């Protein structure tokens, strides 16, 4: 006779500081999944010229090789979070991972640009399914707060390594054949699926599907993301941009009304009665405005004002990215000693200071000095992201982990998309480009500073393992 394993039962039987048996396979699988999700969001950029040479197509078509992944990823995160709680983290993550591997194979075998874009749509959808379920998988495997915090730092490390190594790895694989950028996901995904067989079944929360919520939520996030992407190309006043934003507003209004009225909402309104959840969701938004928006601004500034090549621009960003990758493994230990709130506030303030100073320095500032100042923004990675994720998972019940993770990651995607849209509009006019750079950085600084003030209301918790 078998006894079903649930997150709650695992938590009852696991003492402080003792990870359950499936913890290591679950963590490694989640890290590998988050690594390929992040890698495929950044690695394709360097291969676009080779893809165009091989498959042809317009510049707009090439842009959709990137945007197809982003739009579906953002649009389906809320749905994926709800799905995770309903059918279980392991099953959801496994399905998303299998879909991601198959979509990667389809990308690598694409005979035309249209086929590649279609496969990237599927890849983005699979990535959306994997993201909240990977966080829920860690919540299941590490019910004890301290070990969970350390596990989440490892999970974040997967994304940090992918972000910093993506351009270099992409360049190496592109030199062989651009198709290997996608084929490399196959062995990584296969290993993660193998590890998943050693993870017990996850707790499930059977409930009727909130069809209206699923549709309106996807339309709201998809419309917002598409509008933000197109705004960077056509401007904020373009008909298709205004139409996409209008669709997002209407769909969001319907989503809110639906979630208040249905018996089993995909995103329970009660989730937002928690002050901690609201602050952490806002923190995810602010983090991406700064961490994703500032490289967008400076990549244009370095090339259009300072005349740097694409490679030199990438080198200028290395200190900012590397400091995040280097410190992320230590963020959990720092949080245990100083408290998660302290790290989150310190990270947001570091980003604020870096953005303000960078907005004020003259255009003739030496490149090394600019790279050094950008490290203040890079510090936000290890100081904000892993502690915020830990606080979120500690603040919600195990049965709501997937939904909360979906909401959190949606806020991050919205922050990044809106930053690109707004900053792109401010930088569109060459006559006011320099002023647009300054305004963009100060706006990001204001968002970070405001969120840092809100984060002061988080409850300070210091946790340590027994015997450490």
């Amino acid at each position: 006779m078998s006894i079903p394993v649930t997150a709650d039962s695992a938590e009852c039987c696991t003492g402080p500081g003792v990870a359950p048996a499936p913890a290591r396979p679950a963590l490694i699988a989640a890290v590998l999944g988050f690594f390929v999700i992040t890698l495929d969001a950044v690695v394709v950029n360097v291969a676009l010229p080779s893809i165009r040479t091989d498959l042809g197509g317009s510049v707009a078509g090439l842009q959709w090789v990137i945007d197809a992944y982003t739009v579906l990823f953002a649009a389906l995160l809320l749905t994926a979070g709800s799905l995770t709680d309903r059918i279980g983290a392991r099953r959801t993550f496994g399905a998303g991972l299998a879909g991601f591997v198959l979509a990667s194979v389809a990308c690598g075998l694409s005979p035309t640009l249209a086929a590649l874009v279609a496969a990237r749509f599927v890849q983005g959808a699979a990535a959306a399914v994997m993201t909240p379920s990977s966080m829920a998988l860690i919540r299941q495997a590490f019910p004890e707060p301290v070990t969970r915090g350390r596990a989440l730092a490892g999970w974040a490390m997967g994304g940090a390594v992918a972000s910093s190594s993506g351009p270099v790895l992409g360049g190496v694989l592109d030199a062989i054949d651009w198709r290997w950028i996608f084929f490399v996901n196959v062995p990584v995904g296969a290993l993660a699926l193998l590890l998943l067989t050693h993870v017990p079944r996850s707790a499930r929360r059977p409930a009727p599907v909130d069809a209206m919520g699923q549709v309106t939520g996807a339309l709201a996030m998809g419309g917002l993301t598409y509008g933000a992407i197109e705004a960077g190309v056509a401007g904020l006043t373009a008909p298709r941009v205004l139409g996409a934003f209008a669709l997002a507003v209407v769909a969001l209004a319907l989503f809110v009304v639906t979630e208040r009225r249905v018996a089993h909402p995909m995103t329970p309104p009660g989730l937002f009665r928690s002050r901690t959840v609201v602050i952490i969701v806002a923190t995810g938004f602010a983090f991406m405005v700064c961490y994703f928006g500032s490289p967008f601004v400076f990549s244009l500034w370095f090339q259009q004002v300072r005349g740097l090549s694409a490679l030199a621009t990438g080198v200028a960003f290395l200190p900012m990215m590397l400091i995040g990758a280097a410190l992320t493994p230590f963020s959990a230990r720092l949080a245990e000693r100083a408290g998660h709130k302290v790290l989150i506030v310190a990270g947001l303030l570091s980003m604020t200071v870096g953005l303000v100073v960078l907005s004020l320095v003259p255009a003739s500032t030496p490149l090394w000095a600019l790279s050094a100042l950008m490290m203040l923004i890079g510090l936000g990675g290890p100081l904000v992201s892993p502690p915020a994720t830990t606080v979120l998972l500690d603040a919600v019940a195990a049965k709501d982990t997937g939904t909360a993770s979906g909401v959190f990651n949606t806020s991050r995607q919205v922050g990044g998309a809106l930053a690109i849209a707004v900053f792109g509009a401010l930088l569109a006019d060459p006559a006011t480009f320099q002023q647009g750079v300054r305004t963009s950085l100060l706006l990001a600084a204001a968002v970070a500073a405001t969120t840092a003030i809100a984060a002061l209301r988080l409850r300070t918790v210091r946790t340590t393992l027994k015997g450490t």
Side-chain angles (χ1 to χ4, degrees), residues 334-357:
L334 291 173
E336 291 165 22
R337 288 161 173 75
H340 295 88
K341 180 175 79 171
V342 172
L343 259 65
I344 292 170
V345 173
L348 290 168
L349 291 179
S350 175
M351 298 175 93
T352 301
V353 172
L355 289 162
V356 170
V357 173

Side-chain angles (χ1 to χ4, degrees), residues 13 263 293 311 401 405 457:
C13 302
L311 177 61
T401 300
S405 302
R457 301 189 65 194

